[in-house]
Amino acid sequence: MANEDLAKQVMQALAGGDRTRAAGLLRAAGMPAMRQALDQFKAQAENERRALKALGSSTREAAGNIETQGARVHAQTQAALQALRTHKHPPTVEMGEKPGSLRWVMIVLGLLALAAWLAFGGL
């Protein structure tokens, strides 16, 4: 139990950047406690290495899944764009139609608006 506390104290000192305090704790504990604490450090490092290795493989799998999903979305987007490009839209202007053929409607509406404004006291 005391060796576990020593290991925690040394790890806290190292995490805080205080190497001299960590070395002092190890020296004060004596050689057997130091060996046991170092064994705990090695075991913890091995556990972290295993965890990182497992995390790395799951990360690679996730990246592969993301790449395949990205490729699928890209293919669907390309197919949708191609469908939009090939879709035949009805023409808005027929061949032979004179440009501005409804211009007279706008002129008449403007004149009617002017007449209504003048008739109802616009001045």
Side-chain angles (χ1 to χ4, degrees), residues 12-120:
Q12 288 174 353
L14 289 174
D18 192 3
R19 292 185 284 177
T20 56
R21 181 171 172 257
L25 286 170
L26 287 173
R27 280 190 204 121
M31 189 57 88
M34 188 185 306
R35 284 190 184 140
Q36 197 169 13
L38 289 175
D39 289 341
Q40 286 180 356
F41 293 152
K42 288 178 184 177
Q44 183 178 0
E46 182 64 25
N47 288 339
E48 289 178 1
R49 186 188 64 79
R50 286 183 191 143
L52 286 174
K53 187 176 179 181
L55 182 63
S57 64
S58 64
T59 303
R60 277 186 237 110
E61 290 172 5
N65 290 341
I66 289 171
E67 287 177 7
T68 57
Q69 289 175 354
R72 188 179 314 128
V73 168
H74 181 68
Q76 289 173 349
T77 304
Q78 291 299 323
L81 285 173
Q82 186 63 29
L84 284 174
R85 287 184 194 128
T86 59
H87 180 67
K88 299 293 181 190
H89 295 283
T92 56
V93 179
E94 295 292 329
M95 291 295 292
E97 184 178 3
K98 292 190 243 174
S101 61
L102 294 179
R103 190 177 308 157
W104 63 272
V105 174
M106 295 303 289
I107 293 171
V108 170
L109 286 175
L111 289 174
L112 284 173
L114 179 64
W117 183 63
L118 289 174
F120 294 111

